[in-house]
């Protein structure tokens, strides 16, 4: 397993997160980190892990940054992780068994589910869909998808059973800064894409009024966030606020 898989991570000022992510990657012989010139303690933390190779590369888009990262991988398999993705012990074991089975033909990519955490407290549900995190390098490429990227893997994909904790502990101010940038890009995507080509969710977002209310109800009631205490409310308010920022950007384009 350790010879065949290289974890790939993007960073920019990830001091609150990157140490916990790397602590679950000690099995890897080489970890590739693409850093967008962090000016906090991220580089010092990375230096504590001898198997980490850091490439500093100016950030343009997530897609370009991830594809640059892929170009630095020299193993057949890539484990693509955000800097706040913490592998569960169960997932590490599942991947290990997957590569140890000699009678099982490996697919070309594998999705993983997420357990969303608010400052370390896991929630019952999340809006974050499963993401393809483990894949063959020569079958994959990242393409633009709104404010973020979409991984296209050519071939057959499967689903891993264990989960990854999405546990971002950066400040609320940093979250607000990032969301405003993201929602400007999302607004451009919604405005420049014909409605027939948008998903149902994106068509609702384009209406400007409905989506924030729907998201709040979905997070608190359908996903059970109301039973997670203040952590559940924190997540629900964040997601509602992100949709409000998007609606404001869409309204701004009409004025």
């Amino acid at each position: 397993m350790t010879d065949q898989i290289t974890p790939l991570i993007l960073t920019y000022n990830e001091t609150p997160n990157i140490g916990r992510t790397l602590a679950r990657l000690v099995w890897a012989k080489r970890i590739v980190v693409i850093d967008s010139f962090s000016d906090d303690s991220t580089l010092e933390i990375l230096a504590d892990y001898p198997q980490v190779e850091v490439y500093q590369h100016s950030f343009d888009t997530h897609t370009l940054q991830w594809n640059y990262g892929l170009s630095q991988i020299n193993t057949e398999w890539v484990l693509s992780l955000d800097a706040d993705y913490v592998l569960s012990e169960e997932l590490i074991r599942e991947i290990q068994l997957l590569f140890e089975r000699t009678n099982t033909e490996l697919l070309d990519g594998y999705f993983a589910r997420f357990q969303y955490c608010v400052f370390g407290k896991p929630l019952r549900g999340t809006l974050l869909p499963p993401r393809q995190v483990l894949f063959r390098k020569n079958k994959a490429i990242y393409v633009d998808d709104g404010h973020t990227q979409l991984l296209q893997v050519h071939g057959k994909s499967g689903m891993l059973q264990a989960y990854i904790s999405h546990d971002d502990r950066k400040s609320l101010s940093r979250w607000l800064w990032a969301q405003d940038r993201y929602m400007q890009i999302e607004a451009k995507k919604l405005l420049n894409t014909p409605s027939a080509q948008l998903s149902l969710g994106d068509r609702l977002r384009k209406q400007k009024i409905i989506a924030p209310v729907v998201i709040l109800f979905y997070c608190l009631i359908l996903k059970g966030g109301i039973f997670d205490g203040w952590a559940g409310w924190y997540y629900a308010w964040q997601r509602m606020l992100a949709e409000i920022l998007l609606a404001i950007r869409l309204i701004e384009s009409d004025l």
Side-chain angles (χ1 to χ4, degrees):
M1 170 180 171
T2 55
D3 293 334
Q4 301 176 68
I5 304 173
T6 301
L8 169 63
I9 305 171
L10 303 190
T11 57
Y12 174 66
N13 288 352
E14 290 289 346
T15 295
N17 297 319
I18 190 64
R20 286 177 291 108
T21 298
L22 292 175
R24 294 296 177 89
L25 298 175
V26 292
W27 49 266
K29 283 191 174 179
R30 179 174 180 251
I31 301 169
V32 171
V33 174
I34 310 300
D35 181 74
S36 303
F37 295 94
S38 294
D39 56 12
D40 64 353
S41 301
T42 298
L43 295 178
E44 287 87 340
I45 296 171
L46 294 174
D48 290 336
Y49 292 82
Q51 71 270 53
V52 170
E53 290 186 18
V54 180
Y55 297 82
Q56 289 202 297
H57 189 259
S58 297
F59 184 90
D60 187 3
T61 68
H62 283 100
T63 297
L64 292 175
Q65 203 76 339
W66 280 112
N67 283 328
Y68 174 77
L70 287 183
S71 72
Q72 307 305 322
I73 303 296
N74 53 26
T75 54
E76 180 180 4
W77 288 85
V78 184
L79 181 62
S80 169
L81 302 172
D82 285 359
D84 52 11
Y85 285 3
V86 181
L87 301 189
S88 63
E89 295 290 351
E90 293 80 5
L91 187 68
I92 296 170
R93 182 62 180 156
E94 185 178 357
I95 294 174
Q96 186 177 24
L97 290 175
L98 192 65
F99 280 77
E100 286 177 355
R101 290 185 193 128
T102 55
N103 59 345
T104 301
E105 184 178 353
L106 292 171
L107 303 177
D108 299 299
Y110 293 89
F111 288 82
R113 299 179 177 86
F114 291 93
Q115 181 179 57
Y116 197 91
C117 299
V118 174
F119 294 103
K121 179 174 181 178
L123 303 183
R124 286 171 171 76
T126 175
L127 298 174
L128 195 62
R131 173 180 162 186
Q132 195 151 211
V133 295
L134 179 64
F135 52 87
R136 297 181 194 269
K137 176 195 169 185
N138 63 1
K139 295 285 186 98
I141 187 170
Y142 286 97
V143 297
D144 287 321
D145 183 30
H147 78 276
T148 185
Q149 77 290 331
L150 182 67
L151 176 69
Q152 292 183 341
V153 175
H154 301 287
K156 295 181 179 178
S157 295
M159 180 73 75
L160 298 168
Q161 297 306 307
Y163 65 86
I164 295 173
S165 290
H166 182 278
D167 189 4
D168 184 4
R169 301 189 190 182
K170 294 191 293 293
S171 69
L172 179 60
S173 296
R174 170 70 182 274
W175 182 86
L176 288 167
W177 169 79
Q179 290 301 313
D180 185 45
R181 292 173 60 233
Y182 295 161
M183 292 311 159
Q184 290 182 55
I185 300 170
E186 285 294 311
K188 286 181 182 176
K189 170 192 167 185
L190 296 183
L191 292 170
N192 295 329
T193 305
S195 293
Q197 296 178 20
L198 294 174
S199 66
L200 174 60
D202 279 343
R203 290 201 293 274
L204 285 176
R205 301 171 97 195
K206 201 171 179 178
Q207 299 304 312
K208 308 178 188 71
I209 298 173
I210 302 172
V213 179
V214 170
I215 286 295
L216 182 66
F217 178 82
Y218 188 80
C219 292
L220 285 178
I221 306 303
L222 295 185
K223 289 293 184 180
I226 198 168
F227 301 110
D228 291 319
W230 286 121
W233 279 97
Y234 187 93
Y235 180 65
W237 286 133
Q238 272 195 333
R239 297 324 316 162
M240 184 181 186
L241 182 54
E243 294 303 323
I244 290 173
L245 286 172
L246 176 61
I248 291 172
R249 290 297 181 185
L250 291 170
I251 292 170
E252 190 176 56
S253 69
D254 289 338
L255 298 178

